[in-house]
């Protein structure tokens, strides 16, 4: 049938990510599009430990919240401390580097300082033309299945694409279909990341797609966005997610994104010290005090 296209803008703190869903190749395909207003980064989380991506927040600044996460790396399955593999250049996996403005893909990574460089999988598009670099060495990943694709268009927008699969009504995409998809979307450069059951994205605390099988992840891609005071939610014990992580960071305590008993005690102590209503909850007045001098 004809593709069904659902689009909306997710805006928090003045930062916009455009999220869409289409049905193509008998598969649901989710896209997150964002510009350079999202500070694009990568993280391993806790070194030598694979983690639940819901609780991997990277290193946002005090005036930022974790706005985007999606899976990236392959790792050695039988080594519980392995988080990524094939990170060198010239191997089976194509490296991607970022200078704060655009992505560069091996072997076209310029000799200049980069913010980061990571290993991904095989190429789909380079400068608007089909590119199969890495596909000959990763033939087991060329068939239909769940996939994560990322890349950029010619205007500087970045894309994270989550392809569903492995279900009776979700065929998944093969390499040729992935290429046709990104070409039709108008991307300039695109590459496949680790896929299968690991494929998932989160915008803030909202899961994008239903592929994720709950397994822990190694290296992920992460984006940070600014926030404003009136967009910070009321928090209490039992809450989890990126805003709990923010509150914990501003309190100077362990920022695990989970509002448990120790976090409630820290909030209560902060409220007492700052002559606020002592209720162990983070509402407008507590947020205002916590963010004083951090955001304006």
């Amino acid at each position: 049938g004809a593709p069904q296209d659902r689009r909306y803008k997710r805006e928090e703190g003045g930062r916009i990510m455009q999220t869409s869903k289409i049905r193509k190749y008998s598969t649901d395909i989710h896209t997150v599009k964002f510009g350079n207003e999202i500070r694009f980064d990568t993280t391993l989380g806790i070194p030598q430990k694979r983690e639940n991506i819901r609780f991997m927040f990277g290193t946002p600044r005090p005036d930022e919240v974790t706005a985007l996460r999606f899976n990236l790396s392959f790792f050695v399955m039988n080594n519980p401390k392995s988080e990524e593999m094939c990170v060198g250049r010239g191997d089976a996996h194509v490296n991607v580097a970022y200078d704060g403005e655009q992505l560069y893909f091996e072997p076209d990574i310029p000799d200049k300082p980069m913010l980061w460089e990571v290993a991904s999988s095989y190429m789909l598009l380079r400068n608007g033309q089909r590119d199969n670099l890495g596909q000959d060495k990763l033939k087991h990943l060329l068939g239909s299945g769940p996939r994560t694709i990322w890349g950029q268009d010619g205007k500087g927008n970045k894309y994270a694409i989550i392809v569903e699969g492995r279900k009776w009504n979700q065929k998944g995409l093969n390499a040729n279909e992935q290429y046709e998809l990104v070409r039709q979307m108008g991307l300039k450069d695109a590459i496949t990341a680790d896929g299968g059951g690991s494929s998932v994205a989160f915008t803030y605390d909202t899961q994008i797609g239903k592929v994720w099988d709950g397994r822990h992840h190694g290296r992920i891609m992460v984006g940070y966005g600014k926030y404003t005071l009136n967009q910070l939610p009321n928090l209490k014990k039992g809450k989890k997610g990126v805003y709990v992580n923010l509150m914990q960071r501003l309190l100077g305590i362990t920022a695990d994104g989970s509002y448990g008993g120790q976090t409630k005690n820290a909030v209560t102590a902060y409220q007492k010290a700052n002559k606020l209503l002592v209720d162990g909850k983070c509402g407008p007045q507590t947020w205002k005090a916590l963010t004083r001098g951090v955001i304006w």
Side-chain angles (χ1 to χ4, degrees):
Q4 297 177 350
D5 196 340
R6 174 178 58 84
R7 297 179 183 271
Y8 62 92
K9 289 185 178 181
R10 174 88 177 191
E11 181 173 359
E12 303 204 17
R15 303 297 177 172
I16 297 176
M17 290 183 290
Q18 295 178 340
T19 306
S20 63
K21 173 186 173 182
I22 63 172
R23 179 79 178 174
K24 193 174 181 67
Y25 302 115
S26 301
T27 301
D28 287 343
I29 301 167
H30 309 263
T31 300
V32 183
K33 175 183 175 182
F34 56 100
N36 286 330
E37 73 277 1
I38 295 292
R39 187 167 67 87
F40 199 24
D41 199 5
T42 180
T43 182
L44 279 171
I46 300 172
Q48 296 189 320
K49 180 182 179 183
R50 295 200 289 268
E51 300 157 76
N52 186 322
I53 191 173
R54 287 184 181 273
F55 299 102
M56 296 175 72
F57 303 102
T59 54
R61 297 164 182 161
D63 63 344
E64 295 173 334
V65 66
T66 303
L68 173 67
R69 290 161 285 177
F70 64 90
N71 67 295
L72 176 64
S73 68
F74 295 75
F75 46 77
V76 181
M77 291 293 294
N78 59 5
N79 179 356
K81 292 187 176 182
S82 171
E83 296 179 284
E84 58 183 341
M85 56 186 291
C86 300
V87 297
R89 297 189 192 180
D91 54 29
H93 296 216
V94 179
N95 280 20
V96 185
Y98 183 62
D99 65 358
E101 295 291 331
Q102 64 175 317
L103 301 168
Y104 298 91
F105 300 82
E106 185 183 2
D108 300 327
I109 299 175
D111 185 16
K112 68 174 186 177
M114 295 286 169
L115 294 182
W116 46 258
E117 181 174 335
V118 298
S120 196
S121 184
Y122 54 81
M123 290 295 299
L124 299 167
L125 269 177
R126 189 189 303 264
N127 294 320
Q129 302 297 315
R130 184 162 190 170
D131 190 299
N132 297 329
L133 183 64
Q135 292 189 19
D136 61 328
K137 299 177 182 178
L138 297 170
K139 293 181 179 179
H140 61 293
L141 296 176
L142 303 184
S144 297
R147 294 287 178 257
T148 298
I149 305 166
W150 57 305
Q152 62 192 356
D153 62 22
K155 299 179 181 179
N157 297 303
K158 311 299 181 296
Y159 294 74
I161 303 168
I162 304 299
V163 177
E164 299 204 30
R166 293 184 181 170
K167 300 175 184 176
W168 70 269
N169 63 337
Q170 305 286 2
K171 180 183 73 66
L173 301 189
N174 62 37
N176 289 333
E177 291 164 342
Q178 292 175 68
Y179 160 71
E180 288 295 336
L181 173 70
V182 294
R183 182 186 63 81
Q184 292 171 15
M185 290 176 61
L187 270 65
K188 172 176 168 282
D189 305 294
I191 190 169
T192 300
D194 185 10
S198 298
S199 291
V200 71
F202 286 87
T203 55
Y204 300 89
D205 291 312
T206 300
Q207 182 173 330
I208 302 299
K210 300 176 183 177
V211 177
W212 185 41
D213 61 10
R215 290 185 299 178
H216 289 182
H217 288 69
R219 181 175 292 281
I220 66 169
M221 302 308 300
V222 61
Y224 312 115
K226 302 285 188 180
Y227 60 87
T228 60
L229 186 60
N230 63 359
Q231 290 163 332
L232 298 175
N234 294 333
L235 299 175
K236 62 181 180 179
K237 186 178 178 181
K239 293 289 186 179
K240 298 180 179 181
V242 299
Y243 291 106
V244 175
N245 170 265
L246 169 64
M247 178 192 67
Q248 292 169 327
R249 287 188 284 116
L250 295 175
L251 284 167
I253 63 175
T254 300
D256 60 3
S258 183
Y259 202 141
Q262 291 184 338
T263 296
K264 181 178 179 181
N265 291 340
V267 171
T268 300
Y270 181 84
Q271 291 170 331
K272 289 179 180 178
N274 289 272
K275 297 181 171 58
L276 302 170
L277 173 65
V278 180
D279 59 2
K281 302 175 183 179
C282 190
Q285 295 307 310
T286 302
W287 274 125
K288 184 176 181 180
L290 282 171
T291 58
R292 187 175 295 120
V294 176
I295 60 173
W296 290 267

